[in-house]
Amino acid sequence: MTRSITRIVQHRIAQHPDTEVTFEAECLGCKWKATPSTDSAAVDVDCMSHTGRSNHRGFRRICTSFAAVVRDE
């Protein structure tokens, strides 16, 4: 008969320490895309500038982050 020991280890998920959140946006009226940036305000300004040139007012905003699961000690 084989015996086994079960050990419960708590984990948590957190943003990967070597990365930053990246913000992106794309126009819903054409194929225009904002330059990805770690500064959300810069992407918002790009969207407003695009609206001024094209009168397109709808955008899909994307925030990308990378996560790591680590032991909760």
Side-chain angles (χ1 to χ4, degrees):
M1 174 184 248
T2 304
R3 291 184 177 203
S4 61
I5 297 173
T6 302
R7 185 174 143 211
I8 298 173
V9 179
Q10 295 293 322
H11 289 81
R12 64 183 171 84
I13 190 165
Q15 183 172 327
H16 193 283
D18 298 332
T19 64
E20 294 185 30
V21 176
T22 303
F23 299 92
E24 303 174 64
E26 53 190 45
C27 180
L28 298 177
C30 68
K31 295 183 186 253
W32 177 88
K33 292 183 180 184
T35 302
S37 176
T38 56
D39 180 10
S40 65
V43 174
D44 290 346
V45 168
D46 283 351
C47 291
M48 289 184 279
S49 296
H50 179 70
T51 296
R53 290 188 307 272
S54 66
N55 202 33
H56 297 163
R57 297 171 188 232
F59 298 90
R60 178 174 172 240
R61 293 173 37 167
I62 305 137
C63 301
T64 304
S65 67
F66 294 92
V69 174
V70 295
R71 285 188 178 180
D72 196 14
E73 300 180 83

Coordinates of all heavy atoms in Angstrom, one line a residue:
M1 N 0.8 -1.2 0.0 CA 0.0 0.0 0.0 C 0.9 1.3 0.0 O 1.8 1.3 0.8 CB -0.9 0.0 1.2 CG -1.7 1.2 1.4 SD -2.7 1.2 2.9 CE -4.3 1.1 2.2
T2 N 0.6 2.2 -0.9 CA 1.3 3.4 -0.9 C 0.6 4.5 -0.1 O -0.6 4.7 -0.2 CB 1.4 3.9 -2.4 OG1 2.0 2.9 -3.2 CG2 2.2 5.2 -2.5
R3 N 1.4 5.2 0.6 CA 0.8 6.3 1.4 C 1.3 7.6 0.8 O 2.3 7.7 0.2 CB 1.3 6.3 2.9 CG 0.8 5.1 3.6 CD 1.2 5.2 5.0 NE 0.6 4.1 5.8 CZ 0.5 4.1 7.1 NH1 0.9 5.2 7.8 NH2 -0.1 3.1 7.7
S4 N 0.4 8.6 0.9 CA 0.8 10.0 0.4 C 0.4 11.0 1.4 O -0.5 10.8 2.2 CB 0.1 10.2 -1.0 OG -1.3 10.2 -0.8
I5 N 1.1 12.1 1.4 CA 0.8 13.2 2.2 C 0.3 14.4 1.4 O 0.9 14.7 0.4 CB 2.1 13.7 3.0 CG1 2.6 12.5 3.9 CG2 1.9 14.9 3.8 CD1 3.9 12.8 4.5
T6 N -0.8 15.0 1.8 CA -1.3 16.1 1.1 C -1.0 17.4 1.9 O -1.2 17.5 3.1 CB -2.8 16.0 0.9 OG1 -3.1 14.8 0.2 CG2 -3.4 17.2 0.2
R7 N -0.4 18.3 1.2 CA -0.1 19.6 1.8 C -0.8 20.7 1.1 O -0.7 20.8 -0.1 CB 1.4 19.8 1.7 CG 1.9 21.1 2.4 CD 3.4 21.1 2.4 NE 3.7 22.5 2.3 CZ 4.8 23.0 1.7 NH1 5.7 22.2 1.2 NH2 5.0 24.3 1.7
I8 N -1.5 21.5 1.8 CA -2.3 22.6 1.2 C -1.4 23.9 1.2 O -0.9 24.3 2.3 CB -3.6 22.9 1.9 CG1 -4.5 21.6 1.7 CG2 -4.3 24.1 1.3 CD1 -5.7 21.7 2.5
V9 N -1.2 24.5 0.1 CA -0.4 25.7 0.0 C -1.2 26.8 -0.6 O -1.8 26.6 -1.7 CB 0.9 25.5 -0.9 CG1 1.7 26.7 -1.0 CG2 1.7 24.3 -0.3
Q10 N -1.3 27.9 0.1 CA -2.1 29.1 -0.4 C -1.3 29.8 -1.5 O -0.1 30.0 -1.4 CB -2.4 30.0 0.8 CG -3.3 29.4 1.8 CD -4.7 29.1 1.3 OE1 -5.3 29.9 0.5 NE2 -5.3 28.0 1.7
H11 N -2.0 30.2 -2.5 CA -1.4 31.0 -3.6 C -2.2 32.3 -3.8 O -3.3 32.4 -3.4 CB -1.4 30.2 -4.9 CG -0.5 29.1 -4.9 ND1 -0.7 27.9 -4.3 CD2 0.8 28.9 -5.4 CE1 0.3 27.0 -4.5 NE2 1.2 27.7 -5.1
R12 N -1.6 33.2 -4.5 CA -2.3 34.5 -4.8 C -1.8 34.8 -6.2 O -0.7 34.4 -6.7 CB -2.0 35.6 -3.8 CG -0.6 36.0 -3.7 CD -0.4 37.1 -2.7 NE 1.0 37.4 -2.4 CZ 1.7 38.2 -3.2 NH1 1.2 38.9 -4.2 NH2 3.0 38.4 -2.9
I13 N -2.5 35.7 -6.9 CA -2.1 36.1 -8.2 C -1.9 37.6 -8.1 O -2.6 38.3 -7.5 CB -3.2 35.8 -9.3 CG1 -2.6 36.0 -10.7 CG2 -4.5 36.5 -9.0 CD1 -3.5 35.4 -11.8
A14 N -0.8 38.1 -8.8 CA -0.4 39.5 -8.7 C 0.2 39.9 -10.1 O 0.6 39.0 -10.9 CB 0.6 39.7 -7.6
Q15 N 0.2 41.2 -10.3 CA 0.9 41.7 -11.5 C 2.3 41.2 -11.5 O 3.0 41.3 -10.4 CB 0.8 43.2 -11.6 CG 1.4 43.7 -12.9 CD 1.1 45.2 -13.1 OE1 0.1 45.7 -12.7 NE2 2.1 45.8 -13.7
H16 N 2.8 40.8 -12.6 CA 4.2 40.3 -12.7 C 5.1 41.5 -12.4 O 4.9 42.6 -13.0 CB 4.5 39.8 -14.1 CG 5.8 39.1 -14.2 ND1 7.0 39.7 -14.3 CD2 6.1 37.8 -14.3 CE1 7.9 38.9 -14.4 NE2 7.4 37.6 -14.3
P17 N 6.1 41.4 -11.5 CA 6.9 42.5 -11.1 C 7.8 43.2 -12.2 O 8.2 44.3 -12.1 CB 7.8 41.9 -10.0 CG 7.8 40.5 -10.2 CD 6.5 40.1 -10.9
D18 N 8.0 42.5 -13.2 CA 8.9 43.0 -14.3 C 8.1 43.6 -15.5 O 8.7 43.9 -16.5 CB 9.8 41.9 -14.8 CG 10.8 41.3 -13.8 OD1 11.1 42.1 -12.8 OD2 11.1 40.1 -13.9
T19 N 6.8 43.8 -15.3 CA 6.0 44.4 -16.4 C 5.2 45.5 -15.9 O 5.0 45.7 -14.7 CB 5.1 43.3 -17.0 OG1 4.2 42.9 -16.0 CG2 5.9 42.1 -17.5
E20 N 4.6 46.3 -16.8 CA 3.7 47.4 -16.5 C 2.4 47.1 -17.3 O 2.4 46.4 -18.3 CB 4.3 48.7 -16.9 CG 5.5 49.1 -16.1 CD 6.0 50.5 -16.5 OE1 5.2 51.3 -16.9 OE2 7.2 50.7 -16.4
V21 N 1.4 47.8 -16.9 CA 0.1 47.7 -17.6 C 0.3 48.5 -18.9 O 0.8 49.6 -18.9 CB -1.1 48.3 -16.8 CG1 -2.3 48.3 -17.6 CG2 -1.2 47.5 -15.5
T22 N -0.2 48.0 -20.0 CA -0.1 48.6 -21.3 C -1.6 49.0 -21.7 O -2.5 48.2 -21.6 CB 0.5 47.7 -22.4 OG1 1.8 47.3 -22.0 CG2 0.6 48.4 -23.7
F23 N -1.8 50.2 -22.2 CA -3.1 50.8 -22.6 C -3.1 50.9 -24.1 O -2.1 51.3 -24.7 CB -3.3 52.1 -22.0 CG -3.4 52.0 -20.5 CD1 -2.2 52.2 -19.7 CD2 -4.6 51.7 -19.8 CE1 -2.3 52.1 -18.3 CE2 -4.6 51.6 -18.4 CZ -3.4 51.8 -17.7
E24 N -4.2 50.5 -24.7 CA -4.3 50.6 -26.2 C -5.8 51.0 -26.5 O -6.6 50.9 -25.6 CB -4.1 49.2 -26.9 CG -2.8 48.6 -26.6 CD -2.7 47.2 -27.1 OE1 -2.8 47.1 -28.4 OE2 -2.5 46.3 -26.3
A25 N -6.0 51.5 -27.7 CA -7.4 51.9 -28.1 C -7.5 51.7 -29.6 O -6.5 51.9 -30.3 CB -7.7 53.3 -27.7
E26 N -8.7 51.4 -30.1 CA -8.9 51.3 -31.5 C -10.3 51.9 -31.8 O -11.2 51.8 -31.0 CB -8.8 49.9 -32.0 CG -9.6 48.9 -31.3 CD -9.3 47.4 -31.7 OE1 -8.1 47.1 -31.8 OE2 -10.3 46.7 -31.9
C27 N -10.3 52.6 -32.9 CA -11.6 53.3 -33.4 C -12.6 52.2 -33.8 O -12.3 51.3 -34.5 CB -11.2 54.2 -34.5 SG -12.7 55.2 -35.1
L28 N -13.9 52.5 -33.4 CA -14.9 51.6 -33.9 C -15.5 52.0 -35.2 O -16.3 51.3 -35.8 CB -16.1 51.6 -32.8 CG -15.7 51.1 -31.4 CD1 -16.9 51.2 -30.5 CD2 -15.2 49.7 -31.5
G29 N -15.0 53.2 -35.7 CA -15.5 53.7 -37.0 C -14.6 53.4 -38.2 O -15.0 53.5 -39.3
C30 N -13.3 53.1 -37.9 CA -12.3 52.8 -38.9 C -11.3 51.9 -38.4 O -11.4 51.4 -37.3 CB -11.8 54.1 -39.5 SG -10.7 55.0 -38.3
K31 N -10.2 51.7 -39.1 CA -9.1 50.8 -38.6 C -8.0 51.5 -37.8 O -7.0 50.9 -37.5 CB -8.6 50.1 -39.8 CG -9.6 49.2 -40.5 CD -9.0 48.5 -41.6 CE -10.0 47.7 -42.4 NZ -10.0 46.3 -42.2
W32 N -8.3 52.8 -37.4 CA -7.2 53.5 -36.7 C -7.0 52.9 -35.3 O -7.9 52.4 -34.6 CB -7.7 55.0 -36.5 CG -6.8 55.8 -35.7 CD1 -5.7 56.5 -36.1 CD2 -6.8 56.0 -34.3 NE1 -5.1 57.1 -35.1 CE2 -5.7 56.8 -33.9 CE3 -7.6 55.6 -33.2 CZ2 -5.5 57.2 -32.6 CZ3 -7.4 56.0 -32.0 CH2 -6.3 56.8 -31.7
K33 N -5.7 52.9 -34.9 CA -5.3 52.4 -33.5 C -4.4 53.4 -32.9 O -3.5 54.0 -33.6 CB -4.6 51.1 -33.6 CG -5.6 49.9 -34.1 CD -4.8 48.6 -34.1 CE -5.8 47.5 -34.5 NZ -5.1 46.2 -34.5
A34 N -4.5 53.6 -31.6 CA -3.6 54.5 -30.9 C -2.3 53.7 -30.6 O -2.3 52.5 -30.6 CB -4.2 54.8 -29.5
T35 N -1.3 54.5 -30.5 CA 0.0 53.8 -30.1 C 0.0 53.3 -28.7 O -0.4 54.1 -27.8 CB 1.2 54.9 -30.2 OG1 1.2 55.4 -31.5 CG2 2.5 54.3 -29.9
P36 N 0.3 52.0 -28.5 CA 0.2 51.5 -27.1 C 1.2 52.3 -26.2 O 2.2 52.7 -26.6 CB 0.7 50.0 -27.3 CG 0.4 49.7 -28.7 CD 0.6 51.0 -29.5
S37 N 0.8 52.4 -25.0 CA 1.5 53.2 -24.0 C 1.3 52.7 -22.6 O 0.2 52.1 -22.3 CB 1.2 54.6 -24.1 OG 1.8 55.4 -23.1
T38 N 2.2 52.9 -21.7 CA 2.0 52.6 -20.3 C 1.3 53.8 -19.6 O 1.0 53.7 -18.4 CB 3.3 52.3 -19.6 OG1 4.2 53.4 -19.8 CG2 4.0 51.1 -20.1
D39 N 1.1 54.9 -20.3 CA 0.4 56.1 -19.8 C -1.0 56.1 -20.4 O -1.2 56.4 -21.6 CB 1.2 57.3 -20.2 CG 0.6 58.6 -19.7 OD1 -0.4 58.5 -18.9 OD2 1.1 59.7 -20.2
S40 N -2.0 55.9 -19.6 CA -3.4 55.8 -20.1 C -3.8 57.2 -20.7 O -4.6 57.3 -21.7 CB -4.4 55.4 -19.0 OG -4.4 56.3 -18.0
A41 N -3.3 58.3 -20.1 CA -3.7 59.6 -20.5 C -3.2 59.9 -22.0 O -3.9 60.5 -22.7 CB -3.2 60.7 -19.6
A42 N -2.0 59.4 -22.3 CA -1.5 59.5 -23.6 C -2.4 58.9 -24.7 O -2.6 59.4 -25.8 CB -0.1 59.0 -23.7
V43 N -2.9 57.7 -24.4 CA -3.8 57.0 -25.3 C -5.1 57.8 -25.4 O -5.7 57.9 -26.5 CB -4.0 55.5 -24.8 CG1 -5.1 54.8 -25.6 CG2 -2.7 54.8 -24.8
D44 N -5.6 58.3 -24.3 CA -6.9 59.1 -24.3 C -6.7 60.3 -25.2 O -7.6 60.7 -26.0 CB -7.3 59.5 -22.9 CG -7.8 58.3 -22.1 OD1 -8.0 57.3 -22.6 OD2 -7.9 58.5 -20.8
V45 N -5.6 61.0 -25.1 CA -5.3 62.2 -25.9 C -5.3 61.8 -27.4 O -5.8 62.5 -28.3 CB -4.0 62.9 -25.5 CG1 -3.5 63.9 -26.5 CG2 -4.1 63.5 -24.1
D46 N -4.6 60.6 -27.7 CA -4.6 60.2 -29.1 C -6.1 59.9 -29.6 O -6.4 60.3 -30.8 CB -3.9 58.8 -29.2 CG -2.4 59.0 -29.2 OD1 -1.9 60.2 -29.3 OD2 -1.6 58.0 -29.1
C47 N -6.9 59.4 -28.8 CA -8.3 59.1 -29.2 C -9.0 60.5 -29.4 O -9.8 60.6 -30.4 CB -9.1 58.3 -28.1 SG -8.5 56.6 -27.9
M48 N -8.8 61.4 -28.6 CA -9.5 62.7 -28.7 C -9.0 63.4 -30.0 O -9.7 64.1 -30.7 CB -9.3 63.6 -27.5 CG -10.1 63.1 -26.3 SD -10.0 64.1 -24.8 CE -8.5 63.6 -24.2
S49 N -7.7 63.3 -30.3 CA -7.1 63.9 -31.5 C -7.7 63.2 -32.7 O -8.1 63.9 -33.7 CB -5.6 63.7 -31.5 OG -5.0 64.4 -30.5
H50 N -7.9 61.9 -32.7 CA -8.5 61.2 -33.8 C -10.0 61.7 -34.0 O -10.4 61.8 -35.1 CB -8.5 59.7 -33.6 CG -9.1 58.9 -34.7 ND1 -8.5 58.8 -35.9 CD2 -10.3 58.2 -34.7 CE1 -9.3 58.0 -36.7 NE2 -10.4 57.6 -36.0
T51 N -10.7 61.9 -32.9 CA -12.1 62.4 -33.0 C -12.1 63.7 -33.7 O -12.9 64.0 -34.5 CB -12.7 62.4 -31.6 OG1 -12.8 61.1 -31.1 CG2 -14.1 63.1 -31.7
G52 N -11.1 64.6 -33.3 CA -11.1 65.9 -33.9 C -10.8 65.9 -35.4 O -11.3 66.7 -36.2
R53 N -10.1 64.9 -35.9 CA -9.8 64.7 -37.3 C -10.9 64.0 -38.1 O -11.1 64.3 -39.3 CB -8.4 64.0 -37.5 CG -7.2 64.8 -37.1 CD -5.9 64.1 -37.5 NE -5.9 62.7 -37.0 CZ -5.4 62.3 -35.8 NH1 -5.0 63.2 -35.0 NH2 -5.3 61.1 -35.5
S54 N -11.5 63.1 -37.4 CA -12.4 62.2 -38.2 C -13.9 62.3 -37.7 O -14.8 61.7 -38.4 CB -12.0 60.7 -38.0 OG -12.1 60.4 -36.6
N55 N -14.2 62.9 -36.6 CA -15.5 62.9 -36.0 C -16.0 61.5 -35.5 O -17.1 61.3 -35.2 CB -16.5 63.6 -36.8 CG -17.7 64.1 -36.0 OD1 -17.5 64.5 -34.9 ND2 -18.9 64.1 -36.6
H56 N -15.0 60.5 -35.5 CA -15.4 59.2 -34.9 C -15.3 59.3 -33.4 O -14.3 59.8 -32.9 CB -14.4 58.1 -35.4 CG -14.4 57.9 -36.9 ND1 -13.4 57.3 -37.6 CD2 -15.3 58.3 -37.8 CE1 -13.7 57.3 -38.9 NE2 -14.8 57.9 -39.0
R57 N -16.3 58.8 -32.7 CA -16.4 59.0 -31.3 C -16.4 57.8 -30.5 O -16.4 57.8 -29.2 CB -17.7 59.8 -31.0 CG -17.6 61.2 -31.6 CD -18.9 61.9 -31.5 NE -18.9 63.2 -32.3 CZ -19.2 64.3 -31.8 NH1 -19.6 64.5 -30.6 NH2 -19.1 65.4 -32.6
G58 N -16.4 56.6 -31.1 CA -16.4 55.4 -30.3 C -15.1 54.7 -30.4 O -14.5 54.5 -31.5
F59 N -14.6 54.2 -29.3 CA -13.3 53.5 -29.2 C -13.4 52.3 -28.3 O -14.1 52.3 -27.3 CB -12.2 54.5 -28.6 CG -12.0 55.7 -29.5 CD1 -12.7 56.8 -29.3 CD2 -11.1 55.6 -30.5 CE1 -12.5 57.9 -30.1 CE2 -10.9 56.7 -31.3 CZ -11.6 57.9 -31.1
R60 N -12.6 51.3 -28.7 CA -12.5 50.1 -27.8 C -11.2 50.3 -27.1 O -10.1 50.5 -27.7 CB -12.4 48.9 -28.7 CG -12.2 47.6 -27.9 CD -12.3 46.4 -28.8 NE -11.9 45.2 -28.1 CZ -10.9 44.4 -28.5 NH1 -10.2 44.7 -29.5 NH2 -10.6 43.4 -27.7
R61 N -11.2 50.4 -25.7 CA -10.0 50.6 -24.9 C -9.6 49.2 -24.3 O -10.4 48.5 -23.8 CB -10.3 51.6 -23.9 CG -10.5 53.0 -24.5 CD -10.9 54.0 -23.5 NE -10.2 53.9 -22.2 CZ -10.2 54.8 -21.3 NH1 -10.9 56.0 -21.5 NH2 -9.7 54.7 -20.1
I62 N -8.3 49.0 -24.4 CA -7.7 47.7 -23.9 C -6.6 48.0 -22.9 O -5.8 48.8 -23.2 CB -7.2 46.9 -25.1 CG1 -8.2 46.7 -26.2 CG2 -6.6 45.6 -24.7 CD1 -7.7 47.0 -27.6
C63 N -6.7 47.3 -21.8 CA -5.6 47.4 -20.8 C -5.1 46.0 -20.6 O -5.8 45.0 -20.4 CB -6.2 47.8 -19.4 SG -7.0 49.4 -19.4
T64 N -3.8 45.8 -20.9 CA -3.1 44.5 -20.8 C -2.1 44.5 -19.7 O -1.3 45.4 -19.5 CB -2.4 44.2 -22.1 OG1 -3.3 44.3 -23.2 CG2 -1.8 42.8 -22.1
S65 N -2.2 43.5 -18.9 CA -1.2 43.3 -17.8 C -0.8 41.8 -17.8 O -1.6 40.9 -18.3 CB -1.8 43.7 -16.4 OG -2.8 42.8 -16.0
F66 N 0.3 41.5 -17.2 CA 0.8 40.2 -17.1 C 0.8 39.8 -15.6 O 1.2 40.6 -14.8 CB 2.2 40.0 -17.7 CG 2.1 40.2 -19.2 CD1 2.4 41.5 -19.7 CD2 1.9 39.2 -20.1 CE1 2.3 41.7 -21.1 CE2 1.8 39.4 -21.4 CZ 2.0 40.6 -21.9
A67 N 0.3 38.6 -15.3 CA 0.2 38.2 -13.9 C 1.1 37.0 -13.7 O 1.5 36.2 -14.6 CB -1.3 37.8 -13.7
A68 N 1.4 36.8 -12.4 CA 2.1 35.7 -11.9 C 1.4 35.1 -10.7 O 1.0 35.9 -9.8 CB 3.6 36.1 -11.6
V69 N 1.4 33.8 -10.6 CA 0.9 33.1 -9.4 C 2.0 32.8 -8.5 O 3.0 32.3 -8.9 CB 0.1 31.9 -9.8 CG1 -0.3 31.1 -8.5 CG2 -1.1 32.2 -10.7
V70 N 1.9 33.3 -7.3 CA 3.0 33.0 -6.3 C 2.4 32.4 -5.0 O 1.2 32.6 -4.7 CB 3.7 34.4 -6.0 CG1 4.4 34.9 -7.2 CG2 2.8 35.4 -5.4
R71 N 3.3 31.8 -4.3 CA 2.9 31.3 -3.0 C 2.6 32.4 -2.0 O 3.4 33.4 -2.0 CB 3.9 30.4 -2.4 CG 4.0 29.0 -3.1 CD 4.9 28.1 -2.4 NE 4.9 26.8 -3.0 CZ 5.6 25.8 -2.6 NH1 6.4 25.8 -1.6 NH2 5.5 24.6 -3.3
D72 N 1.5 32.3 -1.3 CA 1.2 33.3 -0.3 C 1.8 33.0 1.0 O 1.4 32.1 1.7 CB -0.3 33.4 -0.2 CG -0.8 34.6 0.5 OD1 0.0 35.6 0.6 OD2 -2.0 34.7 0.8
E73 N 2.9 33.7 1.3 CA 3.6 33.4 2.6 C 3.4 34.3 3.7 O 3.1 35.4 3.5 CB 5.1 33.4 2.2 CG 5.4 32.3 1.2 CD 6.9 32.2 0.8 OE1 7.6 31.5 1.6 OE2 7.3 32.9 -0.2

